[in-house]
Amino acid sequence: MKIIDQNYINGEFKTIDSSKRLTLKNPTTEEDIAQIYLSTPAEMDEAIHCAATTFESFSQTSIDTRMDILQRIHDELHKYEEELIDLAVLEFGATITTTRRRTKNAINLFLAIKEELKSYDFIKKDDYSITIKEGVGVIGVIIPWNANLAHLCSNIAPAIALGCTLVIKPSEFNALETQAFLECLHRANIPKGVVNVVHGTGEVVGEILTKHPLVNAISFIGSTKTGKRIFENCSKTIKRMTLELGGKSPTVLLEDANLAEVIPHVLSSAYSNSGQACHAGSRLLVPKAKVNEVKRLLLETIQKLKIGDPKNEETKIGPMINQTQFNTVQDYIKSGIEEGAQLLCGGLGRVQEFEKGYFVKPTVFICQDQTLKIVQEEIFGPVLCVLPYESEQEALNMANDTLFGLSAYVFSSDETKAYEFAKQIRSGRVLINTAASKAKNPPFGGMKQSGLGRMGGRYSMDAFCEIKSILF
């Protein structure tokens, strides 16, 4: 069993000064795979002071220097890409096909940001003023367990591009992948103190990070509940914030949608990452006259989805990350049954063919009531709610009847019609006729209680900037 007992501070692996630790299990087999030691507030404070001191010099480095650092990190991660994939599958249980694609995209972010850096408008001049964009300073980053490497890369790359320094609290549940990533970072020989990583819980070291006066900005990806706590903490020192929070994304099938073609995309979105995705299309809005046909197609398609070992190339749905998340999803399924939603398939309990592993049955509810708990709250598991509508105006009202606004999906045979509908959805992102766009680094973030700010390519760099005007 692997032991993770070191933070990464000032370019060195430093032994954690605590006896508190957490045992990680393989979610597929429930076997113990690692123990991670949990840091103290003093260790987080040390990392923050290191980042603040380093910022003074790193912020003055040249663009060429930073471009070279981005290239070196990319190259080193690329060498160990297969190891990173294997570790993510082992400790998170994401399917290997999803993990392979996500890992490659995450590593390539360093090249994408390097390319953006070549033409980024740091200085803009006119007759009587000069406007300067400069790095915000020390960025505190808190990331979740459902896309660990992607979130590490999407924060580190733009921060380095702007000459910022970072203190990162990764999820405790991704310790193996994080350790492998840090070893790559160390071999890339980046300047000491630019990236600092402290293992621990949000209640202990996360609190220090979000309240600390030397931290200039916070980038957080996670639940809306935790985001509200971070918002409150940051307000004490008026920190800049980028918050990518929860979602309850609608998938809208317009009247002319080709259902046979669309349903696989619907389930691909709803069960993305085994449902453990903030952008999952977990509310399916269907014309009332087509509900029976949709039910039939959903059942046929779900029966073909392979559930099981995430290392198998054909697997589409893996386990929940741990027992706690499995229990959470079970509670929601129980709530849906008790509140009177029609259970189309799935339901309570582990997938029958597995004696071990946190495998939730792919579940579909038919819901006549928008106020049900399973319709309004983020479940973070493979649970889809089907909601009939009478008119497109009602569909739009239902799509927007949520506290969240992270993602949405619209399907129609008429792309122009879908676009006009998409413009009216209150969401940071709307996908038309697909569950996975091929767009390169579009802005990503939410409206309403799905967050503040945007990440992705140039937008990530803008999020980590301060703007200064010099006037004549």
Side-chain angles (χ1 to χ4, degrees), residues 285-348:
L285 279 54
V286 178
K288 189 172 184 179
K290 298 190 175 183
V291 169
N292 286 336
E293 185 179 1
V294 168
K295 288 162 66 174
R296 177 180 63 80
L297 290 168
L298 284 171
L299 286 172
E300 288 179 0
T301 308
I302 288 172
Q303 288 172 1
K304 298 175 184 176
L305 295 178
K306 184 172 180 58
I307 307 164
D309 185 354
K311 297 192 297 295
N312 187 321
E313 295 281 350
E314 296 180 358
T315 297
K316 300 299 182 184
I317 301 177
M320 300 296 94
I321 188 172
N322 54 33
Q323 184 72 57
T324 299
Q325 188 60 26
F326 178 88
N327 292 343
T328 296
V329 178
Q330 294 299 302
D331 288 343
Y332 274 108
I333 294 172
K334 182 180 179 183
S335 169
I337 294 170
E338 291 176 345
E339 289 188 311
Q342 177 192 346
L343 182 64
L344 180 66
C345 64
L348 292 168

Side-chain angles (χ1 to χ4, degrees), residues 215-285:
V215 176
N216 305 104
I218 289 290
S219 175
F220 170 73
I221 307 99
S223 72
T224 296
K225 179 181 178 181
T226 304
K228 289 178 180 180
R229 174 67 177 174
I230 289 171
F231 191 103
E232 179 183 350
N233 288 350
C234 289
S235 70
K236 304 294 194 301
T237 51
I238 317 296
K239 299 187 195 305
R240 302 291 180 264
M241 282 181 290
T242 303
L243 305 177
E244 193 263 276
L245 308 177
K248 193 68 181 177
S249 303
T251 298
V252 184
L253 307 187
L254 297 182
E255 287 280 354
D256 61 350
N258 185 324
L259 298 182
E261 292 181 0
V262 163
I263 292 302
H265 293 284
V266 168
L267 290 173
S268 177
S269 169
Y271 297 159
S272 173
N273 229 22
S274 306
Q276 299 170 115
C278 54
H279 58 78
S282 54
R283 292 187 295 139
L284 178 60
L285 279 54

Side-chain angles (χ1 to χ4, degrees), residues 96-207:
I96 194 164
T97 51
T98 297
T99 305
R100 185 177 290 117
R101 180 180 66 253
R102 189 162 53 207
T103 300
K104 186 176 294 295
N105 290 342
I107 292 171
N108 285 340
L109 277 171
F110 288 94
L111 296 184
I113 294 296
K114 177 185 174 183
E115 193 63 28
E116 291 286 359
L117 193 50
K118 292 178 181 178
S119 59
Y120 195 68
D121 52 343
F122 282 99
I123 299 176
K124 182 179 179 180
K125 298 180 181 180
D126 63 23
D127 291 342
Y128 300 103
S129 70
I130 300 175
T131 303
I132 301 173
K133 291 181 179 179
E134 56 186 39
V136 67
V138 177
I139 303 169
V141 180
I142 302 175
I143 59 178
W145 43 259
N146 66 325
N148 182 57
L149 185 69
H151 295 313
L152 284 169
C153 297
S154 66
N155 281 279
I156 291 172
I160 287 176
L162 291 165
C164 296
T165 56
L166 304 104
V167 180
I168 302 172
K169 193 210 86 65
S171 170
E172 311 91 281
F173 301 115
N174 301 114
L176 294 175
E177 185 186 39
T178 298
Q179 180 67 20
F181 173 84
L182 289 173
E183 289 168 1
C184 289
L185 206 66
H186 190 70
R187 286 189 294 266
N189 195 30
I190 68 170
K192 293 183 177 182
V194 171
V195 179
N196 305 275
V197 175
V198 178
H199 296 291
T201 64
E203 293 81 3
V204 178
V205 295
E207 282 283 301

Side-chain angles (χ1 to χ4, degrees), residues 426-442:
R426 295 284 295 163
S427 177
R429 184 180 78 167
V430 185
L431 286 77
I432 293 176
N433 291 335
T434 184
S437 172
K438 295 180 181 178
K440 292 185 177 180
N441 299 311

Side-chain angles (χ1 to χ4, degrees), residues 340-408:
Q342 177 192 346
L343 182 64
L344 180 66
C345 64
L348 292 168
R350 193 199 311 266
V351 176
Q352 290 180 351
E353 54 262 45
F354 301 108
E355 294 182 2
K356 295 287 187 179
Y358 309 119
F359 292 97
V360 171
K361 299 173 184 176
T363 298
V364 177
F365 283 105
I366 311 300
C367 305
Q368 304 296 333
D369 186 350
Q370 275 271 101
T371 66
L372 296 181
K373 184 178 180 180
I374 57 171
V375 176
Q376 289 296 324
E377 296 184 13
E378 184 176 45
I379 297 174
F380 234 58
V383 180
L384 174 65
C385 297
V386 179
L387 296 136
Y389 69 82
E390 295 277 4
S391 66
E392 287 189 3
Q393 183 58 53
E394 183 183 22
L396 179 63
N397 294 342
M398 292 167 70
N400 288 330
D401 182 18
T402 173
L403 295 173
F404 302 104
L406 187 62
S407 285

